[in-house]
Amino acid sequence: MKINRRLVLLVTVPLVVAVTFAVLALAPATQQALQANRLTAMVDVAASASQLTHHLQRERAAATALVSTQGDPEAFRETSSATDKSVARFRSELGQLSSVPGNAQSALDRIDQFIDEMPSLRAQVRSGGSTVTALTFGYRIVIADLIDYRDGIAQADGVDADVADRIRAAAAISRASEHMGQQQVAVMKAQATGGFTEASKRTFDATRIGYTEATGSLFDLGPQQWRTWLERTLSGPKALEARRLEDTVSRTAPDQELTVDPEEWQKASADRLTLLRSVESRIDDSVLKTVTETRTSLAWLAGAEVALVLLTLIGAVVVAIRLGRVMIRRLRDLRNAAHEVAHTGLPRVMTELSQPGALSGATPEQVAERSGNPVKTTGLDEIGEVGEAFNAVHHEAVRLAAQQAHIHEQFAETLVGVARRGAQLTTVMVSELDMVQRDEADPERMKTLFALDHLAIRMERNTNNLLVLGGYGHGRVRSADISCSTVIVAAAQQIERFDRVSLGVIESGIGIAARVVHDVAHILAELLDNATRFSPPDKQVGVAVWRLWDRAVVQIVDEGVGITAERRANLNKGLLEPKSGIGDVRSMGLHVVARLAARHGIVVELRDSSGPGTIAEVTLPANVLAAAPQETTPRPQGSLSGERPGVRYETPRPITGPGQFSRRTNAGAGTPGGRNGIGRNGDAAESGDYNPAGAGAQGSNGSNGSAGSNGSTATQENPSPQGDDRAGATAPSQHPVHAEPVSRIAGVSSSGLPLRQRNTPKQWPTLGKRDGADQRSGAAPKPSPRRRDSRQVSDVLAAYAQGINRSTSHRGRSATDDDTQRSKK
């Protein structure tokens, strides 16, 4: 999970908890506000119920008068019409109720049922088919239900006690009004029957008692203001008249005729009901106002709490987002800087430091300071501390890399110094060998001397490898291009078992540019050396060359045990991307090959062979190639598999070893036929003179050496169970030189060494004195020097003059190098 999601989760969890507790805290206030809203609706319906009660009381009085023949139908019709309007209003407001208490709901159900039965009751009144008792009972039941509804809403959930008392007080005034209405009907019934009976008299007395109890409840539950309203309303002349008539009726005994006029009683009682209705209406308005105010205050309180919670949550979210965005942005900047350093910056610095001379005299600390701080995110918090720590790690990594580069430079200088001293010693040894070989006539000793000369050439190749590892290359550049076959022969003559190298199909006209001749020969020598070391001693190593578009491909095929696919992939990667330093000790030879190949854009690849062994493929680019026309012999069509029709190929020549041709001091190395070899002085060898192993060692006199003091080497790899590792430490020679029987055919031995004729030595001319000393007559005669024709003498003198010139210039450089080495020590 990414950091932004973690931060969101970190903020969301507390917010969810906070919202949960806020909802729980807001629930009571919200519930009270909702209950206050429902109570307001119920109180509003109660006001409509009070009005409906008043209209039903009037309709009941008109119906009683009509049934008792004390009224007319028109009055009943008017009261019925007013009742219908009140019923419509009551039902419209009743539809807005969401929920009511259980008792109030039962009363509403009965009221609704009575409203549905009212048309039949009115029909009976109009027809006179209903008695006064039944008529008054029906109206009494529905009015009682209306009063019960008003009393029942006080039991609703969440109603404040003071508000509940006010609602009960309002219901009490309605009950008092109903008692006055029942009293009105009881008197009208007694007037119609001629007087009170015992039962009707008790009913009359009960209404007076009920009225008194109801007004007492009003005074107890309601505020003092409501009592004042009632007392002031009932203190007028109409109320006093109604009370006077009531007192007169109350003094009438049962079975006595009432002396109160029916019309006067109906008018007085109706006026008193109207006065009570006015007080009831004011009380209903007061209750509705109180409930509405309570609802408003609770709604505002709940809204304020909700708004406060929402604002708090929004503020918390905004602050979390702002802080989170800042943290995420800083963390992303830190991540991007870390990625840039890890994938771009630091590898670039490492690559620059791996180049020779990258330090330019600066110390590792100075190089680390120049690299700068990759992370700009700093500060006093933990993110800033991480950024500073990352900068410190980057600084230390660059400093260590610079220190390693400094160590590599010192090690490279050490390798170069050792290589140059080794080259000097090799040059001295080769010079001594030349002096010994010059007049040697014994074939066995000559064979040994040639073997030592060949060993010196191989030592020189290893010395040149140290120069390559030290960052240097061949100091000499040839003056003319050479054919590819000549370079292959020269490379083969630098290895131990050169006799196992077999030239295969070689396309003619492929030459190597003079500036890269020594590097190409060095590359091929390392690959041929690996091929001969890690293949059976009785098998040949084949070399083939052909042109591919503007390039040339050289394949070296052996029949060894091969290389595992994983090992071959690692070696090919190392050949394509040479490492800095000396690389793996086991693959030092291929490391040198990789460096020389990368220097000229040459591609070297190890491939699996169709049979046993490995194929080393060298692809020479166009900038390495040059035109090298040679004498070619057309092959018969299809004579060799793999040849292309119409392409001329060179005739394969055997690889010749040391001693097959005559030697001369300071002479070049060549192939049979002369003029196409690579001489020790860096030029093409003339005539038939031959330098063993194809290339000489450049010594301090500068006259010898095809590779020069800046050569290259490859350390061979020991065989391993995994297969042909192709490079590694130098292994001891597996094929030492043995004495071979002498063959008289063509003047060479079976091993290819030249055979000198053992003729009778010629006597040196007798001289009387030499250098001021008398010659003794008994001294042994000296052999006459070897005869050379004029061309050979000219070659020797030219090489001698060139060697003197190079020796003079090189001696000055050597002295300077020695002084430098001494000063460093």
Side-chain angles (χ1 to χ4, degrees):
M1 186 181 297
K2 293 188 176 181
I3 189 66
N4 54 353
R5 296 183 180 178
R6 293 186 180 183
L7 289 177
V8 169
L9 184 61
L10 184 63
V11 174
T12 301
V13 172
L15 284 179
V16 170
V17 175
V19 168
T20 303
F21 282 101
V23 170
L24 294 177
L26 291 175
T30 305
Q31 185 67 23
Q32 290 178 1
L34 295 175
Q35 290 174 355
N37 186 57
R38 290 195 296 267
L39 181 61
T40 303
M42 287 189 292
V43 169
D44 196 12
V45 173
S48 299
S50 176
Q51 184 180 10
L52 178 59
T53 300
H54 177 68
H55 287 290
L56 288 174
Q57 290 171 353
R58 290 182 61 191
E59 182 179 348
R60 180 179 59 183
T64 301
L66 181 62
V67 172
S68 63
T69 65
Q70 298 177 5
D72 56 352
E74 184 63 24
F76 179 73
R77 186 185 64 79
E78 290 177 358
T79 57
S80 298
S81 177
T83 302
D84 291 338
K85 292 180 180 179
S86 181
V87 168
R89 179 184 175 186
F90 175 78
R91 281 191 164 180
S92 64
E93 293 181 356
L94 191 64
Q96 298 177 0
L97 294 178
S98 58
S99 63
V100 293
N103 296 334
Q105 184 65 43
S106 300
L108 290 176
D109 294 338
R110 291 193 297 269
I111 292 169
D112 190 67
Q113 182 179 3
F114 175 80
I115 292 173
D116 294 337
E117 295 176 356
M118 280 182 65
S120 62
L121 180 61
R122 288 174 179 174
Q124 292 178 7
V125 171
R126 292 188 184 97
S127 63
S130 176
T131 62
V132 175
T133 302
L135 175 67
T136 57
F137 181 78
Y139 281 99
R140 181 180 178 180
I141 293 300
V142 66
I143 292 174
D145 289 335
L146 289 171
I147 295 174
D148 289 341
Y149 165 75
R150 299 192 64 181
D151 199 16
I153 61 177
Q155 302 175 4
D157 296 335
V159 179
D160 186 68
D162 183 61
V163 176
D165 290 342
R166 289 173 179 263
I167 294 173
R168 292 190 184 96
I173 190 64
S174 297
R175 190 174 294 108
S177 177
E178 172 59 15
H179 284 303
M180 290 297 98
Q182 291 179 9
Q183 186 183 69
Q184 178 189 21
V185 173
V187 173
M188 292 176 64
K189 179 180 178 183
Q191 289 175 348
T193 59
F196 284 116
T197 62
E198 291 292 338
S200 61
K201 181 61 176 178
R202 286 194 298 270
T203 302
F204 178 81
D205 294 337
T207 58
R208 296 189 69 183
I209 296 172
Y211 173 80
T212 302
E213 291 177 354
T215 55
S217 298
L218 173 64
F219 296 156
D220 293 337
L221 298 175
Q224 183 64 31
Q225 185 181 14
W226 292 3
R227 182 173 183 175
T228 303
W229 291 346
L230 180 60
E231 290 178 350
R232 287 181 180 180
T233 302
L234 297 181
S235 62
K238 293 181 179 181
L240 293 176
E241 178 64 20
R243 183 175 297 177
R244 184 184 66 81
L245 294 176
E246 178 186 3
D247 291 339
T248 302
V249 172
S250 65
R251 289 193 294 268
T252 303
D255 298 333
Q256 293 182 356
E257 185 178 359
L258 293 175
T259 60
V260 178
D261 184 62
E263 292 182 358
E264 186 179 1
W265 171 255
Q266 291 179 13
K267 181 178 182 304
S269 60
D271 290 340
R272 185 164 60 176
L273 288 175
T274 302
L275 292 175
L276 289 175
R277 171 57 193 158
S278 64
V279 175
E280 185 180 7
S281 178
R282 294 182 66 181
I283 291 176
D284 288 340
D285 292 340
S286 177
V287 173
L288 182 60
K289 181 180 179 181
T290 301
V291 174
T292 303
E293 291 176 353
T294 304
R295 180 191 66 178
T296 304
S297 62
L298 291 176
W300 276 105
L301 179 61
E305 292 180 356
V306 171
L308 181 61
V309 171
L310 291 178
L311 289 176
T312 303
L313 294 177
I314 292 174
V317 171
V318 170
V319 172
I321 290 176
R322 289 180 64 89
L323 294 178
R325 289 180 63 184
V326 173
M327 293 178 59
I328 292 174
R329 183 175 66 252
R330 296 182 65 192
L331 289 174
R332 285 179 177 174
D333 294 340
L334 183 62
R335 179 199 62 184
N336 295 335
H339 278 297
E340 197 278 333
V341 169
H343 300 291
T344 305
L346 198 57
R348 182 177 65 252
V349 173
M350 298 301 177
T351 303
E352 293 175 355
L353 292 177
S354 64
Q355 301 300 323
L359 297 180
S360 302
T363 62
E365 288 75 12
Q366 292 174 347
V367 174
E369 290 294 335
R370 288 202 304 262
S371 65
N373 295 327
V375 179
K376 305 302 180 184
T377 302
T378 57
L380 301 179
D381 59 351
E382 288 77 2
I383 298 177
E385 292 177 356
V386 172
E388 293 177 358
F390 188 82
N391 289 334
V393 171
H394 177 265
H395 183 278
E396 186 65 18
V398 175
R399 190 189 67 81
L400 291 177
Q403 187 175 2
Q404 291 294 326
H406 180 66
I407 295 174
H408 288 166
E409 287 185 356
Q410 291 181 340
F411 184 70
E413 293 178 358
T414 303
L415 289 180
V416 172
V418 172
R420 286 176 176 173
R421 293 189 180 186
Q424 292 176 1
L425 295 177
T426 304
T427 300
V428 173
M429 182 176 65
V430 171
S431 178
E432 295 295 334
L433 289 174
D434 285 342
M435 293 180 62
V436 174
Q437 292 174 2
R438 182 173 302 169
D439 296 319
E440 182 60 52
D442 188 354
E444 295 298 328
R445 287 198 297 269
M446 198 66 175
K447 175 180 177 181
T448 303
L449 293 176
F450 281 157
L452 292 176
D453 197 349
H454 187 210
L455 179 61
I457 299 306
R458 289 157 50 203
M459 291 172 59
E460 183 194 13
R461 181 165 60 86
N462 291 333
T463 302
N464 291 338
N465 276 346
L466 296 180
L467 292 174
V468 175
L469 296 177
Y472 291 84
H474 290 285
R476 294 190 175 277
V477 177
R478 292 189 52 81
S479 59
D481 303 333
I482 297 181
S483 64
C484 186
S485 61
T486 303
V487 175
I488 295 174
V489 172
Q493 292 169 347
Q494 297 183 43
I495 66 175
E496 179 181 0
R497 292 304 307 270
F498 56 86
D499 55 331
R500 289 179 51 202
V501 179
S502 174
L503 297 182
V505 177
I506 299 179
E507 187 173 337
S508 62
I510 301 176
I512 306 299
R515 60 183 177 82
V516 296
V517 165
H518 296 296
D519 286 347
V520 173
H522 200 160
I523 292 173
L524 297 178
E526 294 296 336
L527 296 176
L528 289 172
D529 196 18
N530 277 336
T532 55
R533 284 182 180 274
F534 299 102
S535 61
D538 57 342
K539 299 293 183 179
Q540 293 291 314
V541 174
V543 183
V545 183
W546 67 87
R547 186 178 294 276
L548 182 64
W549 300 100
D550 59 340
R551 297 164 291 172
V553 178
V554 180
Q555 276 195 351
I556 300 174
V557 184
D558 63 59
E559 298 183 16
V561 295
I563 311 176
T564 61
E566 182 180 0
R567 176 66 176 167
R568 184 168 57 252
N570 293 333
L571 293 177
N572 286 329
K573 182 179 180 181
L575 290 171
L576 291 176
E577 300 175 358
K579 301 178 181 178
S580 60
I582 61 174
D584 189 0
V585 176
R586 297 182 305 165
S587 305
M588 193 177 299
L590 293 185
H591 185 61
V592 172
V593 171
R595 283 199 174 188
L596 294 175
R599 186 179 299 172
H600 304 291
I602 300 173
V603 178
V604 181
E605 181 182 5
L606 301 179
R607 298 171 56 186
D608 190 17
S609 177
S610 58
T614 304
I615 299 175
E617 187 173 275
V618 182
T619 303
L620 304 175
N623 60 339
V624 173
L625 302 178
Q630 296 183 2
E631 295 181 3
T632 57
T633 303
R635 298 175 181 270
Q637 184 72 17
S639 60
L640 290 176
S641 61
E643 297 185 5
R644 293 174 292 177
V647 179
R648 300 179 64 86
Y649 297 89
E650 296 184 11
T651 303
R653 299 189 299 269
I655 304 298
T656 56
Q660 186 167 345
F661 299 96
S662 60
R663 293 175 47 89
R664 65 186 176 100
T665 305
N666 300 329
T671 58
R675 296 185 178 272
N676 57 355
I678 304 176
R680 278 202 219 128
N681 57 3
D683 300 325
E686 299 295 336
S687 68
D689 297 335
Y690 175 70
N691 180 2
Q698 178 187 351
S700 60
N701 59 2
S703 62
N704 298 331
S706 64
S709 62
N710 297 332
S712 59
T713 186
T715 305
Q716 302 301 326
E717 186 176 11
N718 295 326
S720 61
Q722 286 79 8
D724 186 2
D725 285 340
R726 313 299 299 174
T730 304
S733 175
Q734 302 176 1
H735 306 285
V737 178
H738 300 285
E740 299 182 10
V742 176
S743 173
R744 297 290 180 176
I745 301 176
V748 296
S749 66
S750 60
S751 62
L753 295 176
L755 189 66
R756 301 199 178 188
Q757 301 296 331
R758 301 193 180 190
N759 297 331
T760 303
K762 295 184 178 181
Q763 300 294 330
W764 289 88
T766 303
L767 298 178
K769 290 183 179 181
R770 184 177 181 182
D771 297 333
D774 294 335
Q775 298 288 341
R776 292 176 296 178
S777 59
K782 295 183 179 181
S784 60
R786 185 175 56 185
R787 300 294 182 181
R788 293 185 174 91
D789 56 18
S790 59
R791 183 175 179 180
Q792 291 176 336
V793 173
S794 175
D795 292 340
V796 170
L797 292 178
Y800 180 78
Q802 187 177 9
I804 293 297
N805 293 333
R806 293 179 178 176
S807 175
T808 303
S809 60
H810 185 71
R811 187 177 296 112
R813 292 195 301 270
S814 300
T816 303
D817 294 340
D818 292 339
D819 293 340
T820 302
Q821 297 295 333
R822 294 190 189 98
S823 62
K824 289 183 178 180
K825 292 179 180 179

